[in-house]
Amino acid sequence: ADEIYVANVYKSLAQIYYSKGDFLKATELNNKSIAIYFNVLGENHPDIVECYMNLAQIHNSQGESLKALELNNKSLEICLSIYDENHSTTATIYNNMALAYCALAEYDKALELFEKSQLIYSKIYGDNHPYIGTCYSNIGTIYYYKSDYSKALELFNKSLTVDNSIY
């Protein structure tokens, strides 16, 4: 139990260093968390999924989208061994993978994953939730990048409708 506490502190510190832009320190602390979680909890645990997601975010923030995809795939594999596909963590991973594909200008793959994420979030939260508004906005951005401006407008308006009904 004490080891888990230490791993949790490392993970929290890693998030702070990430927020400060110290990606090297954030990576180091996330890796320390993973090592402890792995030894104490085994390889298939939500805390390990979260750490891999955090590492992927660090790499994506540095423009290392391929490494981010590799880490997101690792987190997805573990996530699917713990939960079914219709879990919020799975949806978040799909969203994060889509962001990496977007950075690589692989818009069709990004679109597929953003839509997958949106479907899962809709099943969990319904269609009137902030995550849904964000999904519509993300999907709209892809259509914008693909120069399908009418579809982009449609999705941004859907996002706005959802957001206005919440806030």
Side-chain angles (χ1 to χ4, degrees), residues 127-130 132-134 136-137 152-167:
D127 290 329
N128 199 31
H129 188 277
I132 302 305
T134 299
Y136 287 143
S137 179
L153 278 171
E154 175 190 330
L155 284 148
F156 282 121
N157 282 320
K158 280 176 99 167
S159 175
L160 196 56
T161 299
V162 171
D163 291 343
N164 282 334
S165 72
I166 297 168
Y167 304 113

Side-chain angles (χ1 to χ4, degrees), residues 59-71:
H59 286 283
N60 210 38
S61 295
Q62 296 180 94
E64 298 170 356
S65 300
L66 291 175
K67 183 66 177 174
L69 283 170
E70 178 187 319
L71 290 160

